[in-house]
């Protein structure tokens, strides 16, 4: 069963910009855990599928419990042409997403 637009997902995630000279792994702008991911100690974050950016929501709606995806989101499905917090406009986003469960 896939998640739907009205579900809440229990997830672990890390969001980065594309790699650059200054940030070879990509600037990390958001994460639900610090340091290395350890499934036995990392506590999942609960997010509403309809309250995240379109690209993230679309990925979640196609994931199944236990899936681990690395998703590249073009700016049109991310934050668009405007700056958002530390994310410049027109930014391609890379998310590492682990779906634990959904409700």
């Amino acid at each position: 069963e896939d998640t739907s637009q009205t579900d809440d997902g229990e997830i672990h995630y890390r969001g980065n910009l594309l790699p650059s000279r200054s940030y070879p792994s990509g600037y990390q702008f958001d994460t639900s855990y610090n340091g290395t991911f350890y499934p036995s100690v990392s506590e999942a974050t609960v997010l509403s599928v309809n309250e995240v950016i379109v690209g993230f929501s679309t990925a979640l709606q196609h994931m199944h419990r236990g899936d681990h995806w690395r998703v590249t989101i073009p700016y049109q499905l991310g934050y668009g042409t405007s700056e958002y917090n530390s994310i410049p406009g027109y930014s391609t986003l890379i998310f590492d997403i682990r779906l634990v469960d959904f409700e």
Side-chain angles (χ1 to χ4, degrees):
E1 182 180 358
D2 294 340
T3 58
S4 77
Q5 187 71 27
T6 57
D7 286 336
D8 289 338
E10 289 182 43
I11 62 171
H12 302 282
Y13 70 92
R14 180 167 279 164
N16 293 70
L17 298 178
L18 291 172
S20 66
R21 209 173 277 190
S22 301
Y23 298 94
S25 297
Y27 173 76
Q28 181 181 300
F29 59 85
D30 197 8
T31 184
S32 65
Y33 56 92
N34 292 320
T36 304
F37 175 75
Y38 295 106
S40 59
V41 295
S42 295
E43 188 171 326
T45 297
V46 176
L47 294 175
S48 294
V49 173
N50 63 0
E51 293 180 357
V52 295
I53 58 173
V54 174
F56 199 102
S57 172
T58 301
L60 284 175
Q61 290 178 68
H62 289 87
M63 294 177 77
H64 298 91
R65 287 178 179 94
D67 280 355
H68 176 200
W69 289 10
R70 186 174 182 90
V71 180
T72 302
I73 300 173
Y75 78 90
Q76 298 93 332
L77 300 177
Y79 294 105
T81 59
S82 302
E83 182 176 325
Y84 179 79
N85 292 337
S86 60
I87 303 169
Y90 299 98
S91 291
T92 297
L93 311 174
I94 301 170
F95 279 97
D96 185 76
I97 306 170
R98 299 167 192 267
L99 178 62
V100 177
D101 202 357
F102 56 87
E103 305 169 350

